[in-house]
Amino acid sequence: MKFSRIIGLIFWATIAAQSAKSDESSADIRGPLSTGMYIGELFKKSYTDFLWEPENIDLSSSYILAANIDYRFYKWADVPLQFEGEFDIDKHFGQAHEYEVVLAPFLRWTAFPWNQHLYTNARLGILGASYITGVSAWERQNSGNDKGSNFLQFGSLEATFARSERSPGEFFIRVHHRSGIFGLINGVGGGSNYLSCGFRVFW
């Protein structure tokens, strides 16, 4: 599976979806609820390595396919910041075969200087909860305790892209992260990271 091809297909599907809805009333504003899907590939580096060394992230033949629901609980009036919650159901495949459930809070930053040309947001998920039905060989190897844990902390770094603030959907790139918070959870020092891309629609 070529990850770059997956990104390309989702990107062009996003453009097509945006164009198809571009004639809708400009009074339509994104609702608080969204649904989405994303696919990702395991990389064997630390959480943020793809930001600094994207050419050396060491992708592996282990994949994730996820469906999620997001809800915006609060939108600050004077700060371009939103508080959201997310629920995911994920299927791991390739070298791993587990199912995963995620529940996590997210903060969304909505102000970037180029937003009139490409509407961009940054989302940060921290201190979420991830439960997986089995521990993969990579997580056992990377755990620091040789066994891993079904329950771990979930985190995510995400960048979203859309035509405008009023677009009914957005393309996103994210890291799907599981970890034991430096051994705090069941003695797990490591976990897993999936470089992922997907699309969500607002309701």
Side-chain angles (χ1 to χ4, degrees):
M1 180 181 293
K2 295 294 185 180
F3 189 71
S4 60
R5 292 181 182 177
I6 295 170
I7 292 177
L9 288 171
I10 293 178
F11 175 78
W12 289 113
T14 300
I15 296 299
Q18 300 266 341
S19 298
K21 296 190 176 184
S22 61
D23 293 331
E24 292 186 358
S25 170
S26 61
D28 293 335
I29 299 176
R30 291 177 170 186
L33 180 68
S34 67
T35 55
M37 294 189 69
Y38 63 92
I39 189 167
E41 186 169 359
L42 178 74
F43 65 93
K44 297 181 177 180
K45 297 288 185 178
S46 69
Y47 192 9
T48 58
D49 275 356
F50 84 101
L51 292 174
W52 320 123
E53 298 180 326
E55 72 281 5
N56 294 319
I57 60 172
D58 193 12
L59 292 169
S60 177
S61 298
S62 184
Y63 308 97
I64 186 172
L65 178 65
N68 59 16
I69 299 174
D70 287 270
Y71 190 82
R72 184 179 67 232
F73 289 101
Y74 190 77
K75 183 177 182 179
W76 278 264
D78 302 320
V79 180
L81 189 66
Q82 301 175 15
F83 174 68
E84 304 173 353
E86 179 172 299
F87 174 72
D88 294 7
I89 297 178
D90 315 329
K91 177 67 173 78
H92 294 250
F93 62 101
Q95 294 180 354
H97 307 282
E98 302 80 23
Y99 288 91
E100 180 183 359
V101 176
V102 169
L103 185 63
F106 273 79
L107 290 174
R108 178 190 288 260
W109 182 263
T110 62
F112 289 92
W114 57 84
N115 273 5
Q116 61 180 335
H117 305 291
L118 178 65
Y119 186 64
T120 305
N121 291 177
R123 297 178 75 228
L124 174 65
I126 53 174
L127 298 180
S130 166
Y131 182 83
I132 201 164
T133 56
V135 180
S136 69
W138 168 250
E139 284 200 0
R140 286 196 302 272
Q141 176 184 334
N142 196 39
S143 66
N145 67 0
D146 297 323
K147 59 182 181 179
S149 174
N150 296 80
F151 174 77
L152 288 176
Q153 180 261 349
F154 171 83
S156 180
L157 294 173
E158 180 181 297
T160 77
F161 308 96
R163 174 175 293 183
S164 74
E165 185 177 2
R166 297 179 183 274
S167 296
E170 63 186 13
F171 168 78
F172 61 88
I173 299 173
R174 65 155 52 177
V175 173
H176 176 110
H177 171 73
R178 276 172 45 90
S179 79
I181 316 180
F182 305 105
L184 184 63
I185 300 176
N186 295 329
V188 174
S192 59
N193 298 294
Y194 288 81
L195 180 58
S196 310
C197 63
F199 185 73
R200 66 171 57 91
V201 176
F202 294 88
W203 306 95

